[in-house]
């Protein structure tokens, strides 16, 4: 039965794979690999259905943890699901469990930073953003988030450093160029701000904010 589960898993049929692994586990509950394989299938199934059935995805991740309580990926995806449902306390708990079992998970640290930024707790947001960067110095999303956080706090030198690093590691990161545009505008460098907005529009032509910002800068020059 585990072999059939493995075939279904390779085919991307995670629901069927999970059913076969459950059956295998009922027959041989002492098998060490079956619970781990079942947990992986349940996580992948949750990812498949999360857009259409977010509560079903949560059930998948939760069941995965029944079979493999140390699976950091299950905790991480629970955190993402709860954050998307604006259940931030539950999201934070699951992100903390993620980094407990996987201390190098930059995404979990970043997402905790995002929640604290939304809650206007800038000190904690910066703390977790920096922890994410310690895990992955080339994590463009966190570099961008740090730039925004430092812009918000008025530390424009630090903001420029991190936003510049964001576009250095991800040259097609449109949002970071838009944020650089804001930063140069704050600095009074309208020409450079205009270049950043134009680059953002080039990368993301349907984005409204950069176009509006470019118009505002152009009217000042």
């Amino acid at each position: 039965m585990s072999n059939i589960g493995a075939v279904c898993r390779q085919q991307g049929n995670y629901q069927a794979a999970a059913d076969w692994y459950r059956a295998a586990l009922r027959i041989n509950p002492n098998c060490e690999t079956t619970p781990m394989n079942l947990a992986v299938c349940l996580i992948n199934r949750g990812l498949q259905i999360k857009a259409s059935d977010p509560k079903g995805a949560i059930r998948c991740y939760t069941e995965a943890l029944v079979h493999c309580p140390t699976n950091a990926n299950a905790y991480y995806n629970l955190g993402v699901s709860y954050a998307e449902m604006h259940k931030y306390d539950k999201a934070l708990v699951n992100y903390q469990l993620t980094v407990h079992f996987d201390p190098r998970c930059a995404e979990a640290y970043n997402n905790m930073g995002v929640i604290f930024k939304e809650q206007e707790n800038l000190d904690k947001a910066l703390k977790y953003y920096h922890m994410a960067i310690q895990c992955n110095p080339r994590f463009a999303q966190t570099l961008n988030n740090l730039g925004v956080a430092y812009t918000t706090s008025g530390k424009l030198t630090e903001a420029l450093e991190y936003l510049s690093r964001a576009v250095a590691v991800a040259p097609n990161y449109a949002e970071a160029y838009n944020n650089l545009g804001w930063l140069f505008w704050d600095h009074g460098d309208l020409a450079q701000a205009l270049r950043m907005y134009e680059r953002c529009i080039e990368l993301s032509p349907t984005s409204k904010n950069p176009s509006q910002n470019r118009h505002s800068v152009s009217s000042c020059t």
Side-chain angles (χ1 to χ4, degrees), residues 153-194:
S153 63
K155 296 182 178 180
L156 302 186
T157 301
E158 290 87 346
L160 179 59
E161 174 193 346
Y162 287 105
L163 289 171
S164 298
R165 285 172 60 183
V167 297
V169 301
N172 295 326
Y173 193 177
E175 182 183 344
Y177 286 104
N178 184 60
N179 292 329
L180 274 168
W182 273 108
L183 184 60
F184 284 120
W185 195 354
D186 283 344
H187 269 298
D189 189 341
L190 300 186
Q192 188 72 324
L194 190 60

Side-chain angles (χ1 to χ4, degrees), residues 109-125:
Y109 289 119
N110 175 75
N111 292 356
M112 284 190 275
V114 170
I115 291 174
F116 285 118
K117 174 69 163 53
E118 288 296 313
Q119 295 176 342
E120 299 184 353
N121 189 336
L122 198 58
D123 288 340
K124 277 196 172 182

